[in-house]
Amino acid sequence: MDSRFLGIPELTETPSVAVVVDVMRACTVAAWAFARGAKKIVLAESLDDALALKARRPEWVALKDGAPAPGFDAVNSPGLLRSTYLGGRTVIQKTTAGTVGALAVKEASLVLCAGFVVAEATAGFLRQRGCEDVTFVVTGEDGSAEEDLACAQYIAGRVTGAGADATASVRRAAESRAATELTEGVREGAHRDDVALCLEVDRFPFAMVATLEDSLMVLRPRGVSASTGGTSA
């Protein structure tokens, strides 16, 4: 598999296959939302768009980065979301990096969103589809976020069987600026367990596939056949 690792500003053309990586915290939060029963996640272009969607569908759960705000039901924290039951509900998610990265590649033929928590399932999905040319979108810090790059390279290694080292990859992520800021309470809307939850490898047995549905970018969980080397949902 031919892998490229690009920041959002470096996306000068639409890739065929894109894996959007935001470890801390959008993709981890999305995985937790599905684990807590969410049916789908709508990735909003802006806070105003998220609020407009919420106004039209008040039963949906609106989620954003940072501190709690009027009109939003939750914040972008796995530690806070894990105690919320979302059975059958739709989540609206707007974040500063992860959702932006997914929307930047919305025209790609295949878009996956990933973090460590769904690493093997994501790798298994790519193997299952026989993807030969994959662009990993490193969403944080304009492509220089160490936690996202470490995770992207780890997933790429799992696809090709190149001896990816989970321990070393997680260590890189744990020493990243994002991890430090979350640990030190620099970022609003965080829980003390967020870093640990973001660094759990293969916690969930599904990949997350984003597709355009009626002009909205919608994320859904997808199980992966065990025959591909992945896990089953």
Side-chain angles (χ1 to χ4, degrees), residues 45 75 115 169 171 176 179 219 231:
E45 294 269 3
V75 294
S169 299
R171 184 184 304 114
S176 68
L219 189 64
T231 51

Side-chain angles (χ1 to χ4, degrees), residues 22-23 25-38 41 43 63 76 78 81-82 86 91 93 113-119 121-122 197-198 200 202-208 219-221:
D22 187 341
V23 173
R25 293 163 286 171
C27 294
T28 303
V29 166
W32 268 100
F34 291 130
R36 298 300 298 150
I41 297 174
L43 306 178
L63 180 156
N76 191 46
L81 193 68
R82 63 181 169 176
L86 298 170
V91 173
Q93 187 180 33
C113 292
F116 282 110
V117 291
V118 292
T122 303
L197 292 172
C198 289
E200 289 186 326
D202 300 336
R203 175 159 188 143
F204 302 117
F206 51 79
M208 299 186 293
L219 189 64
R220 297 180 185 273

Side-chain angles (χ1 to χ4, degrees), residues 39-178:
K39 177 182 179 181
K40 63 182 180 182
I41 297 174
V42 176
L43 306 178
E45 294 269 3
S46 67
L47 294 175
D48 286 344
D49 286 344
L51 289 173
L53 286 166
K54 174 70 175 179
R56 292 199 298 270
R57 301 296 298 268
E59 74 277 14
W60 287 7
V61 178
L63 180 156
K64 64 177 281 294
D65 266 340
F72 288 89
D73 306 290
V75 294
N76 191 46
S77 161
L80 294 172
L81 193 68
R82 63 181 169 176
S83 62
T84 303
Y85 179 61
L86 298 170
R89 300 181 73 182
T90 293
V91 173
I92 308 162
Q93 187 180 33
K94 170 66 181 91
T95 70
T96 55
T99 59
V100 175
L103 289 164
V105 293
K106 63 184 179 182
E107 302 296 336
S109 60
L110 173 64
V111 179
L112 301 174
C113 292
F116 282 110
V117 291
V118 292
E120 174 53 35
T122 303
F125 195 93
L126 293 170
R127 289 193 298 268
Q128 177 179 292
R129 292 289 293 266
C131 298
E132 297 180 353
D133 185 2
V134 179
T135 296
F136 288 86
V137 183
V138 180
T139 60
E141 301 175 38
D142 290 333
S144 64
E146 188 66 16
E147 73 282 4
D148 294 339
L149 183 58
C151 183
Q153 291 172 339
Y154 176 68
I155 293 171
R158 292 282 284 265
V159 176
T160 62
D165 184 343
T167 300
S169 299
V170 168
R171 184 184 304 114
R172 286 172 59 192
E175 294 172 352
S176 68
R177 183 168 79 174

Side-chain angles (χ1 to χ4, degrees), residues 198-221:
C198 289
L199 298 181
E200 289 186 326
V201 179
D202 300 336
R203 175 159 188 143
F204 302 117
F206 51 79
M208 299 186 293
V209 181
T211 56
L212 284 171
E213 300 181 16
D214 298 324
S215 79
L216 296 174
M217 194 64 165
V218 178
L219 189 64
R220 297 180 185 273

